[in-house]
Amino acid sequence: MSKVMQQGPTSASAATTTYHITMDDEKLGIKPEILFRIYGQIEAQAKDSAPLHIRNELRISQDARIKTRFYIAVSDRMAQYLIAAVQKQASGDASGLRSYFYKLQEQLMGQMFAGAKDTINISLK
């Protein structure tokens, strides 16, 4: 099971919010080098699909001591490109990795829409 630690959104400027997610999964059974490569592919794909002026608003890094721990910092403007890259990666992976990357996506979207849940009213009458 993946262990997800959230630091929550921070305000980088008046117009941009940065979301912070930590993914840690030593029980996944995947070598850290493979996770590092996959995260590199996700980051590259997200940045390639984003406009030039926001590409630097995504940072994915690996913990120096705990090699299975990754830190993701992404702006609200860049988040849609990261989500698309994660979805593409998850669709091609084995089920264990797929659930890991769906968890990443879930955590990011949870932060993005944390305030909105109070204002959504759906009636299924």
Side-chain angles (χ1 to χ4, degrees), residues 1-110:
M1 256 314 124
S2 66
K3 180 179 172 187
V4 179
M5 297 171 274
Q6 292 180 268
Q7 296 174 328
T10 59
S11 181
S13 69
T16 304
T17 300
T18 301
Y19 304 104
H20 300 273
I21 299 170
T22 301
M23 294 294 290
D24 187 1
D25 195 346
E26 60 265 343
K27 295 179 184 174
L28 186 60
I30 302 295
K31 292 182 180 181
E33 303 81 33
I34 294 172
L35 276 177
F36 181 79
R37 180 183 50 79
I38 292 171
Y39 271 114
Q41 291 170 347
I42 289 171
E43 184 174 21
Q45 183 178 354
K47 288 181 176 184
D48 286 347
S49 61
L52 284 172
H53 67 282
I54 65 168
R55 288 183 180 177
N56 65 341
E57 295 177 9
L58 170 62
R59 289 179 315 282
I60 300 176
S61 58
Q62 185 178 33
D63 189 283
R65 288 184 315 119
I66 304 168
K67 299 297 184 184
T68 56
R69 183 176 293 166
F70 290 84
Y71 304 104
I72 299 104
V74 61
S75 72
D76 53 353
R77 301 184 308 173
M78 186 66 186
Q80 65 180 327
Y81 303 102
L82 174 60
I83 289 170
V86 167
Q87 287 176 340
K88 184 174 181 181
Q89 182 66 43
S91 68
D93 282 329
S95 62
L97 272 176
R98 187 176 307 134
S99 63
Y100 174 86
F101 286 113
Y102 283 151
K103 184 60 122 178
L104 166 60
Q105 178 181 323
E106 178 183 300
Q107 295 304 314
L108 175 57
M109 292 178 77

